[in-house]
Amino acid sequence: LSFSSGGFESKYGDKLSSVLDISYKRPEEFKGSVGGSFLGASLHFEGSKRLGSNSYNKLRYLFGARYKTTKYILGSLDVKGEYTPDFTDIQTYITYDISRDIQLGFIGNFNRSQYNFIPTERSTALGLIDFALRLTSVFEGREEDRFVNGMTGLSMTYLPEKDENPMYLKLLASNYLGEEAETFDIQGFYRLSQIETNIGSDNAGEEVAVLGTGTQHNFARNFLYNRITNIAHRGGIEFQNENDNRTSNNFLQWGMKLQSESINDYLNEWERLDSAGYSLPFNPEEVELFEVIKSENSINSLRYTAFLQNSYSRIANDTEIKVTGGVRGSYWSLNKEFLFSPRVQFLYKPLNSQRNLSYKLAGGVYYQPPFYREMRRLDGSLNTDLKSQRSIHIVGGVTYDFNWPSMSAKPFRFISELYYKKLDNLVSFEVDNVRIRYSGENDASGYALGLDLRINGEFVPGAESWVNLSFLRVREQLDGIQHLKRELGDSIAQEVSSVPRPTDRLFHLAMFFQDYLPSNENLKMHMNLSVGGGLPFGLRGNNREYRNTYRFKAYHRVDIGFSYLLWNEDWAKNKPRHPLRFTRNTWLSLEVFNLLGVANVASNTWIKTVYDTQYAIPNFLTSRRINLRMKVDF
């Protein structure tokens, strides 16, 4: 896996912010693993086999399958009920070397996620020392969601054995099918009350005032079907130049792709709010629903993309320099938009320095063409004229490889990156519970400024660990809107030039640490720490002028686990009759998720009274849970 936070090469496609590159291994021998826990099970195997008259006629295969259920985890949520979620994922990657120069490849993936939920009741308390609220609800109805995705791909790679100017040519084709179904009909009868916070009072913790009672009825029958088919060609050739004083080469790469997209969407969703016997919005003439979304959309389109890039590298005078420049172009038949994206990356590394440092500078113009969900407005209508979001990147970074003899004999790596991204033609969005609601319009501009710091290595010999610290500021400005902000205790609003974007997280600290007992290396411990600033949000239905003025409380969580090695194949001579002798390794692990039992907030439930007052009741994430897991490698 390799990740880029910005300034990436032209070959990596049309993305607004970042990319993840995944390369699959080439197995040479049979291996496998089986694992099981309270949360599910997994299976994988890999290997290679000679199929043909020549030694290079090899079939290599990777296969993995996972089953996961979060029923045990979700049992700790505030909303009680019957949770039956399950997730199944199957993947395979197979290659066959027809000759020394030609290889065929097949990749396949199937994913099915099912979420069934029958809520029964909820009780949530929140507030300060002098003012506290309690929301109690009982429910009728159920929710059934299903997401099924399948993908298959074929490739043929021509990679001739050449001592000079090596090259490769590749032909790829793939087909993706997706089906999403959101169906729920849930009626909640709620009671919002103020509770006594005076500990010395006789009725401490009891209800002292009722702020609202009513009904919240949510209904949906939403179905989305999509098919994406593409065919692509990629190639590259390296031109080498060597003499006594320097070594240089040019690696030229190119690619082109034709993609067909077919999407059908059916939306039927509404919400009814009743407060104190009055439907909202209140109308004495008729009963009105709070929100209604009904639409049917169908689109068929073609996308054409191509890129060309060259990487020039040179080693001379104890200095390594690499410059990569490229362009990318695309055209979409639906909105008739043609995009041109130039990009450049520069790497400088002194080789005669006592410090192993390398410096990176990158930038370019990046577009993200809209996909279906960005095009769909809040009312369900489709904006087929929506243009691509654009981002101009400037990224600078330093990588430092160093030794820390007192910690480990192996080197450590420190990576730092500072980036600025100017954003325009943005499609604004809001996060509603766990769903993203796009405006369907190019109605915003903004910027992102961030700093990433990471160090990884073996703080304990033989156990890889890492620490990552990130700072991020993401701002936006809605077109035609003068944003306002009112400070705490100030009755006069002030004009501001920008407001937080929903992804604006001021800081995030993540740490993964491993250790083992010095007297017994078979007993290991790992700890995962995550601390992050709260994400912004605004009032439901009134989040434009005063946009994203509130924040969730900071997120913090600690997970810890202990693993014991039950068997290792090196013990076979001393324990020839061991019941696990048929395996390579067998581990038994005990994990504690959310060790401190922190009540982190995922989203808000909005309770509205007949007087148009809204209360944000937090939906908390899961509390402490224990998981027992066993993994067998063979």
Side-chain angles (χ1 to χ4, degrees), residues 179-194:
E179 175 188 339
E180 300 181 12
E182 293 179 323
T183 61
F184 51 83
D185 187 357
I186 297 177
Q187 196 168 189
F189 306 93
Y190 67 86
R191 181 183 183 92
L192 182 65
S193 57
Q194 182 180 350

Side-chain angles (χ1 to χ4, degrees), residues 244-247 314-321 348-353:
D244 295 336
N245 298 321
R246 67 179 188 180
T247 299
R314 172 178 172 172
I315 299 177
N317 301 322
D318 295 325
T319 300
E320 179 182 356
I321 297 175
Y348 171 75
K349 183 176 183 179
L351 301 178
N352 60 350
S353 173

Side-chain angles (χ1 to χ4, degrees), residues 484-496 546:
L484 302 173
K485 182 179 180 181
R486 184 180 290 113
E487 299 292 343
L488 184 64
D490 193 350
S491 60
I492 300 177
Q494 298 179 357
E495 295 182 355
V496 292
Y546 294 92

Side-chain angles (χ1 to χ4, degrees), residues 590-615:
L590 180 68
E591 301 168 308
V592 183
F593 301 124
N594 196 3
L595 176 66
L596 304 180
V598 178
N600 291 301
V601 179
S603 61
N604 287 321
T605 294
W606 292 94
I607 301 299
K608 196 168 188 178
T609 70
V610 71
Y611 302 106
D612 210 30
T613 301
Q614 290 195 92
Y615 292 92

Side-chain angles (χ1 to χ4, degrees), residues 202-223:
D202 293 336
N203 59 344
E206 297 181 3
E207 180 182 289
V208 295
V210 177
L211 302 179
T213 60
T215 304
Q216 187 174 26
H217 190 177
N218 291 281
F219 176 91
R221 293 293 184 269
N222 301 333
F223 303 94

Side-chain angles (χ1 to χ4, degrees), residues 7 47 118 124 162 212 224 374 377 411-412 433 471 481 507 623:
I118 304 177
T124 303
K162 298 177 64 176
L224 176 64
E374 292 100 318
R377 299 184 180 96
F412 288 77
N433 202 342
F471 299 93
I481 300 294
F507 73 95
S623 61

Side-chain angles (χ1 to χ4, degrees), residues 356-428:
N356 192 357
L357 290 165
S358 60
Y359 305 89
K360 181 184 78 170
L361 182 64
V365 180
Y366 297 81
Y367 291 92
Q368 182 168 300
F371 199 62
Y372 177 75
R373 289 196 181 277
E374 292 100 318
M375 298 166 56
R376 194 174 67 189
R377 299 184 180 96
L378 295 175
D379 62 0
S381 62
L382 205 61
N383 181 8
T384 57
D385 294 325
L386 188 69
K387 302 303 180 183
S388 299
Q389 301 178 87
R390 186 177 71 167
S391 176
I392 300 175
H393 292 193
I394 300 176
V395 181
V398 177
T399 300
Y400 178 32
D401 295 316
F402 62 96
N403 292 314
W404 197 343
S406 61
M407 282 288 183
S408 175
K410 293 187 177 181
F412 288 77
R413 169 164 288 189
F414 173 74
I415 301 173
S416 63
E417 280 192 342
L418 176 66
Y419 55 86
Y420 173 80
K421 302 173 185 179
K422 184 180 182 299
L423 312 171
D424 52 28
N425 263 6
L426 291 178
V427 180
S428 65

Side-chain angles (χ1 to χ4, degrees), residues 81 247 251 257 500:
T247 299
F251 185 29
K257 181 170 71 172

